[in-house]
Amino acid sequence: MSWALALLLTLLFAAAPTWGEAPPALEGLVIRIVDGDTIHVRLADRVEKVRYIGVNTPELHHPTRGEEPGGREARDVNRGLVEGRRVRLELDVQARDRHGRLLAYVWVGDVMVNAELVRLGFAQVMTVPPNVRHQALFVKLQRDARAARRGLWAAQAVEKGPSASLRSIASLQRTASVRFRSSISRAPRS
């Protein structure tokens, strides 16, 4: 009996991923840009609506607020990065959000689009546990973009009062804060 248990444990450990392995990834072609942080990707056997992990951009199609300032600019930057391109989708701990969208870090070659949008100042960090793998990178890039007044942060250099873009960023901060708190309250307790 002990040899059977040893064999079973050996098979289980051989089949389990090791800590050093790369996270699961899918590859596909971007066929539609929804907004600054959501795209449609044609995979081998299906089309997936993909939401970028760890970032948020001003909305284009919000059900109650409509189009937010900066939404078109974020979408256009996203379009320039991914439209018609082959992408690699790096998944994290949670694969889908409550809307059924696939959650991913999106790569074009060696450029992570999520990070590039933050670096350029057209996305803000939005951490929703348990998908936190690149959080530290995103926070650093946002700090740098804000200090350099890139993208939506550029309005601070032009006007003393809050511009439409700054109001949009403030809205993003409130939305991200609410989403973060609600994700914690929904997190399973141990």
Side-chain angles (χ1 to χ4, degrees):
M1 183 70 167
S2 65
W3 68 268
L5 182 58
L7 177 63
L8 179 61
L9 288 174
T10 302
L11 290 173
L12 284 174
F13 284 115
T18 62
W19 293 109
E21 279 186 18
L26 303 168
E27 292 191 10
L29 179 69
V30 176
I31 59 171
R32 180 172 174 233
I33 311 302
V34 176
D35 58 22
D37 53 33
T38 308
I39 57 177
H40 288 213
V41 177
R42 181 180 311 283
L43 302 174
D45 59 342
R46 67 192 184 280
V47 172
E48 286 279 0
K49 190 171 191 177
V50 177
R51 173 65 165 81
Y52 296 171
I53 295 174
V55 301
N56 194 32
T57 62
E59 300 294 333
L60 279 177
H61 314 287
H62 193 277
T64 59
R65 293 189 303 257
E67 182 178 322
E68 295 178 332
R72 288 178 193 234
E73 292 88 345
R75 180 209 45 213
D76 292 346
V77 171
N78 189 28
R79 176 176 285 137
L81 292 168
V82 300
E83 187 172 46
R85 297 209 169 132
R86 293 209 53 82
V87 294
R88 181 172 44 91
L89 306 175
E90 175 190 338
L91 307 181
D92 206 336
V93 175
Q94 182 178 336
R96 294 195 182 271
D97 67 6
R98 63 188 169 113
H99 304 291
R101 298 175 296 189
L102 188 64
L103 300 172
Y105 303 103
V106 178
W107 294 82
V108 175
D110 62 352
V111 174
M112 185 200 314
V113 177
N114 316 46
E116 186 66 2
L117 287 165
V118 175
R119 187 187 75 77
L120 294 172
F122 289 97
Q124 183 172 7
V125 176
M126 184 180 78
T127 302
V128 181
N131 294 346
V132 298
R133 180 177 302 132
H134 297 291
Q135 176 187 11
L137 170 65
F138 295 158
V139 168
K140 180 198 178 312
L141 292 172
Q142 178 174 291
R143 191 177 306 117
D144 294 348
R146 190 173 189 172
R149 299 184 184 335
R150 289 193 293 264
L152 298 176
W153 303 108
Q156 290 178 325
V158 178
E159 299 180 24
K160 291 186 179 187
S163 69
S165 292
L166 290 177
R167 284 191 300 277
S168 176
I169 288 170
S171 170
L172 279 173
Q173 289 171 331
R174 285 190 303 277
T175 302
S177 175
V178 168
R179 288 182 185 164
F180 179 75
R181 285 194 306 270
S182 68
S183 71
I184 290 175
S185 65
R186 289 192 312 265
R189 307 224 187 265
S190 334

